[in-house]
């Protein structure tokens, strides 16, 4: 535990003592902010339009009740899940690549710290940064609570989904970082890999239904659908947790096997 | 303290370390000497558990580097070729981090860091960001990092490389001071460094140990020949002829005429056996005066050149 914390602390401090954390968090919020504005303002326009239509109708219909959860929060969550895919690899890419490049890996890997301890320490540090990012986007949601009346439950379920999905990106980000000393390669491979696991869902539609059903089971975004709708289903939680475990396990294998190859 | 037996390491087809065996006793400083690509770093990486050996066994403090790697790691301090520094950290924070992952408990950590900084004379930069330090200071922080948990064994890969002459002297002095409390292996391709610092030298070339000796013995045994300079009073042509005639002398030469009846000569022996007595006898027996007779041992550099060229001839 002490070793885990030592690694975790060092990584977190290192994020905040260089510009990366600030730039990634800042840009992420700018992009999320823009989409928040676009989605919410179009939702507001749509509401106004619907009200007007109802008022003008001859049959004196009550104005339709438009669901802010479905029409604003859900697309917003979907958008955040996409942005995270492009921003999180920038956080994870340095975790091992940098140690290999600067030679600190020789310190880390000859210290009495187990592979599990440093993998989890680094993973958790990336996770913390992601929590900070999500925390800031939650401020947008608070605006919606102030000026509207969304249901609380689904918002939290949606955020749980975002957290789990992001941890999947981070866990594979750690894995790809452990494979190379080149940070760019690590980031690009992570994005490509995750995109593949999204595309599997789209692919599913175009192959025969039996195979398609199996394939869509592996689609990262398919499992996010229910979270975005505010439906909590353990099946999806289990899927994401397995995905995360897989990434961490592969990191372990890659670090163990690298020493036989010569690191 | 360190026991290496028949260790071999392959990288694909490249045999970086080839059937290497040696021992280091407690408190000893062993020099690991060899040209580029000899396999020094690879051997050290095997000892520090960074890389596994393809075959053979290595033990540190009685623990196998492969089976008991965590026990080994607790007992070694390692300075790799490039000091393993996190450039964005402050010196003190960095050493505290290293102490933590090396298992120094929190009660002793501050003291351990202070001592390591004191030994390596970096206390004055303890709040500096590592990135901003000079090369020499970085090297010292690297050394402090290896010392911070007061390990039994220190493994230093080319600790003086890239330093200026003054810093080299300081770092060497530092290593000398550490001897006794720690068992040290240091690698270098600078021969005078090995002969100054080490009690024993292992010479490695192309992955194989080609010699293992004390620096003095090495010069004597493998130097192959001995060189004498002498100043003799007498007819120089005659003297030279007589010197050349001595059994065991390979070559004799006049280097300078000091005055009409006095000259300086240099004599090289055929083998490592001393020829001083024979030379003195020959000169004095002729009734000439012998003003000076100094044996000159060949430098380790010569020895080393000798060793490696010999290896090349074999192949
Ligand atoms: N990770 C690796 N992958 C492939 N080959 C390697 C690796 N590490 C070392 N080698 C090869 O093994 C041989 C020995 O290298 P090593 O670094 O041990 O030499 P060295 O004695 O430390 O040399 P130098 O004085 O240049 O530091 C070299 O031929 C090198 O190319
Ligand atoms: Mg080397």
């Amino acid at each position: 535990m002490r070793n885990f914390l030592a690694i975790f602390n060092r990584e977190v401090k290192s994020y905040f003592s260089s510009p990366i954390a600030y730039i990634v968090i800042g840009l992420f919020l700018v992009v999320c902010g823009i989409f928040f504005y676009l989605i919410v303002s179009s939702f507001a326009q749509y509401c106004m339009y619907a009200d007007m239509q109802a008022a003008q109708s001859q049959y004196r219909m009550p104005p339709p009740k438009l669901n802010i959860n479905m029409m604003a929060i859900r697309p917003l969550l979907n958008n955040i899940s996409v942005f995270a895919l492009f921003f999180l690899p920038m956080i994870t890419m340095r975790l091992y690549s940098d140690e290999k490049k600067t030679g600190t890996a020789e310190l880390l890997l000859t210290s009495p710290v187990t592979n599990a301890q440093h993998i989890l320490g680094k993973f958790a540090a990336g996770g913390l940064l992601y929590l900070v990012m999500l925390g800031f986007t939650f401020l947008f949601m608070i605006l919606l609570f102030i000026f509207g009346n969304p249901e609380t439950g689904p918002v939290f379920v949606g955020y749980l989904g975002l957290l789990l999905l992001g941890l999947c990106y981070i866990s594979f980000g750690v894995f790809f970082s452990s494979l190379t000393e080149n940070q760019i390669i690590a980031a690009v491979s992570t994005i490509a890999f995750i995109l593949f696991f999204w595309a599997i869902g789209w692919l599913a539609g175009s192959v025969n239904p039996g195979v398609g059903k199996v394939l869509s089971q592996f689609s990262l975004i398919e499992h996010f659908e229910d979270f975005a709708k505010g439906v909590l289903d353990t099946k999806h939680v289990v899927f994401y947790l397995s995905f995360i475990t897989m990434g961490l396990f592969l990191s372990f294998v890659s670090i163990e096997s690298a020493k036989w190859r010569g690191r | 303290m360190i026991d290496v037996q028949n260790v071999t390491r392959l990288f694909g087809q490249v045999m970086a370390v080839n059937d290497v065996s040696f021992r280091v006793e407690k408190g000893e400083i062993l020099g690991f000497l060899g040209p580029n690509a000899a396999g020094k770093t690879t051997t050290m990486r095997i000892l520090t558990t960074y890389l596994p050996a393809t075959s053979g066994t290595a033990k540190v403090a009685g623990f196998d580097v492969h089976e008991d790697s965590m026990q080994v790691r607790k007992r070694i301090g390692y300075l790799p070729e490039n000091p393993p520094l996190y450039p964005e950290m402050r010196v003190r924070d960095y050493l505290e981090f290293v102490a933590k992952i090396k298992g120094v408990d929190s009660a002793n950590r501050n003291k351990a860091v202070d001592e390591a900084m004191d030994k390596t004379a970096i206390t004055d930069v303890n709040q500096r960001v590592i990135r901003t330090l000079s090369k020499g200071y970085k090297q010292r922080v690297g050394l402090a990092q290896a010392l911070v948990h007061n390990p039994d064994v220190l493994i230093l890969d080319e600790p003086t490389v890239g330093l200026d002459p003054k810093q080299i002297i300081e770092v060497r002095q530092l290593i000398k001071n550490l001897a006794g409390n720690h068992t040290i292996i240091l690698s270098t391709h600078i021969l005078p460094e090995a002969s100054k610092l080490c009690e024993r030298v292992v010479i490695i070339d192309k992955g194989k140990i080609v010699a293992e000796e004390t620096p003095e013995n090495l010069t004597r045994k493998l130097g192959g020949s001995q060189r004498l300079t002498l100043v003799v009073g007498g007819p120089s042509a005659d003297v030279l002829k007589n010197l050349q005639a001595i059994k065991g002398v390979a070559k004799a030469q006049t280097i300078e005429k000091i005055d009409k009846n006095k000259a300086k000569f240099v004599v090289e022996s055929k083998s490592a056996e001393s020829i001083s007595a024979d030379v003195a006898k020959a000169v004095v027996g002729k009734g000439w005066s012998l003003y000076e007779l100094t044996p000159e041992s060949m430098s380790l550099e010569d020895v080393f050149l000798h060793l490696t060229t010999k290896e090349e001839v074999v192949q």
Side-chain angles (χ1 to χ4, degrees):
Chain A
M1 193 64 189
R2 178 183 61 195
N3 288 337
F4 164 80
L5 283 177
I7 305 286
F8 171 76
N9 279 331
R10 204 202 66 71
E11 291 295 347
V12 171
K13 275 193 197 137
S14 147
Y15 276 133
F16 287 101
S17 62
S18 71
I20 344 166
Y22 302 102
I23 291 176
V24 169
I25 293 175
L27 288 178
F28 180 72
L29 290 180
V30 168
V31 175
C32 288
I34 291 171
F35 276 78
F36 174 80
Y37 173 78
L38 292 177
I39 287 170
V40 171
S41 64
S42 74
F43 174 68
Q45 266 173 10
Y46 190 74
C47 287
M48 253 153 61
Y49 176 74
D51 277 358
M52 258 155 58
Q53 284 245 308
Q56 287 166 1
S57 101
Q58 302 140 315
Y59 308 107
R60 311 178 121 238
M61 293 243 295
K65 195 116 182 60
L66 295 173
N67 186 331
I68 185 168
N69 281 80
M70 280 319 232
M71 294 190 64
I73 294 178
R74 185 176 157 199
L76 204 57
L77 292 174
N78 276 325
N79 277 308
I80 295 178
S81 78
V82 179
F83 304 146
L85 162 62
F86 291 96
F87 281 95
L88 289 180
M90 289 181 212
I91 283 179
T92 54
M93 65 184 184
R94 51 170 285 284
L95 286 172
Y96 281 101
S97 303
D98 207 33
E99 303 239 20
K100 287 181 174 215
K101 186 143 201 160
T102 60
T104 49
E106 281 195 69
L107 166 63
L108 188 64
L109 300 175
T110 61
S111 293
V113 175
T114 62
N115 286 342
Q117 285 165 342
H118 57 76
I119 291 170
L120 288 174
K122 283 166 184 284
F123 171 73
L128 182 81
L129 214 67
Y130 181 50
L131 270 182
V132 173
M133 288 159 69
L134 280 187
F136 279 116
T137 66
F138 202 74
L139 295 179
F140 299 143
M141 297 297 162
I142 289 176
L143 285 180
L144 292 182
F145 278 102
I146 294 173
F147 297 107
N149 55 343
E151 282 179 72
T152 338
V155 175
F156 282 108
V157 170
Y159 266 82
L160 176 67
L162 276 184
L163 178 66
L164 287 170
L165 183 61
L167 291 179
C168 292
Y169 304 162
I170 295 173
S171 124
F172 274 86
V174 170
F175 167 60
F176 284 105
S177 181
S178 77
L179 287 180
T180 168
E181 60 172 53
N182 186 319
Q183 299 194 22
I184 307 295
I185 294 179
V188 171
S189 327
T190 310
I191 295 175
F193 176 86
I194 299 288
L195 276 180
F196 175 77
F197 269 86
W198 276 39
I200 262 189
W202 307 328
L203 209 72
S206 61
V207 291
N208 84 58
V211 182
K213 200 140 183 267
V214 174
L215 282 184
S216 69
Q217 288 302 304
F218 288 98
S219 164
L220 275 170
I221 202 61
E222 210 79 359
H223 287 273
F224 187 67
E225 282 300 310
D226 278 348
F227 283 109
K229 281 185 212 151
V231 180
L232 183 57
D233 187 337
T234 44
K235 153 177 111 194
H236 304 309
V237 176
V238 169
F239 172 78
Y240 281 150
L241 290 179
S242 325
F243 205 89
I244 294 166
T245 312
M246 193 61 184
L248 296 176
F249 175 71
L250 286 176
S251 311
F252 182 87
V253 171
S254 122
I255 291 168
E256 269 300 304
S257 69
K259 70 182 189 190
W260 296 100
R261 291 195 309 269
R263 301 236 193 243
Chain B
M1 204 58 171
I2 297 171
D3 188 5
V4 176
Q5 292 211 345
N6 309 102
V7 162
T8 295
R9 170 73 209 212
L10 285 163
F11 291 109
Q13 295 296 309
V14 180
M15 211 177 239
V17 175
N18 185 357
D19 197 21
V20 159
S21 306
F22 63 91
R23 286 171 62 91
V24 193
E25 302 305 329
K26 196 165 186 305
E28 200 181 5
I29 307 191
L30 178 82
F32 225 62
L33 202 61
N36 290 135
K40 305 181 293 292
T41 299
T42 306
T43 309
M44 295 187 142
R45 285 178 165 174
I46 291 168
L47 283 175
T48 55
T49 76
Y50 185 70
L51 291 177
T54 308
S55 67
T57 58
K59 282 188 175 160
V60 175
F63 295 101
D64 188 282
V65 291
H66 192 63
E67 308 290 325
D68 270 322
S69 70
M70 286 299 156
Q71 293 301 325
V72 172
R73 291 174 184 199
K74 280 185 195 154
R75 288 166 178 78
I76 50 160
Y78 175 36
L79 174 63
E81 257 172 327
N82 304 309
L85 308 173
Y86 294 102
E88 76 280 358
M89 290 179 96
R90 288 178 197 283
V91 172
R92 195 183 176 97
D93 295 342
Y94 168 70
L95 291 175
E96 264 169 22
F97 166 72
V98 177
K100 218 185 283 176
I101 62 171
K102 295 286 182 182
V104 180
D105 51 33
S106 54
N108 300 320
R109 211 173 289 149
N110 256 322
K111 203 169 131 254
V113 170
D114 284 338
E115 275 174 16
M117 292 200 298
D118 195 42
K119 280 185 197 156
T120 49
I122 52 171
T123 313
D124 54 327
V125 295
N126 76 88
Q127 284 305 319
R128 289 269 294 275
V129 175
I130 292 175
R131 191 195 307 110
T132 67
L133 295 177
S134 72
K135 167 86 178 139
Y137 268 93
K138 282 184 183 150
Q139 191 74 12
R140 289 195 218 173
V141 177
L143 214 50
Q145 162 278 133
L147 291 174
V148 73
H149 54 305
N150 196 24
D152 296 338
V153 175
L154 278 175
I155 296 186
L156 313 174
D157 199 351
E158 307 201 14
T160 59
V161 80
L163 303 182
D164 71 29
K166 184 167 164 281
Q167 291 169 333
I168 289 180
I169 293 169
E170 285 168 10
V171 168
R172 283 185 190 156
Q173 191 53 49
L174 175 64
I175 293 170
K176 269 227 149 104
N177 296 344
L178 293 171
N181 295 328
H182 308 268
T183 306
I184 303 178
I185 298 190
L186 71 92
S187 78
T188 174
H189 51 243
I190 310 165
L191 290 156
E193 178 161 292
S195 63
K196 280 195 190 96
L197 286 175
C198 306
E199 290 145 29
R200 211 148 49 82
V201 177
V202 164
I203 296 185
I204 179 169
D205 185 35
K206 301 195 180 80
K208 278 201 142 148
I209 292 187
V210 287
E212 185 184 338
E213 273 303 343
T214 60
E216 306 85 60
N217 274 350
L218 202 63
T219 317
R220 188 150 38 84
K221 263 173 115 175
L222 295 145
S225 67
Q226 202 189 21
R227 208 192 291 217
L228 297 172
T229 42
L230 57 164
V231 178
V232 181
S236 59
D238 272 359
V239 174
L240 188 62
K241 229 193 267 159
N242 271 280
L243 287 175
Q244 278 163 338
I246 298 168
K247 212 175 116 229
V249 167
K251 211 165 78 182
Q253 252 180 316
T254 318
I255 353 177
E256 73 172 302
K257 288 222 150 95
I258 297 165
D259 57 38
K260 209 165 67 232
N261 214 14
K262 206 175 178 190
K264 196 180 212 172
F265 302 89
V266 61
V267 176
E268 259 179 51
S269 69
K270 277 188 191 130
S271 68
E273 261 135 64
S274 173
I275 51 164
S276 317
D278 294 341
V279 171
K281 223 181 275 167
V283 173
V284 178
K286 284 278 175 187
W288 298 319
S289 14
L290 182 61
Y291 294 99
E292 224 180 81
L293 178 74
T294 10
E296 219 179 75
S297 59
M298 291 242 249
S299 73
L300 264 173
E301 252 99 345
D302 297 334
V303 175
F304 188 51
L305 223 64
H306 187 78
L307 284 166
T308 43
T309 45
K310 211 157 94 189
E311 273 294 290
E312 253 155 22
V313 169
V314 169
Q315 294 206 332

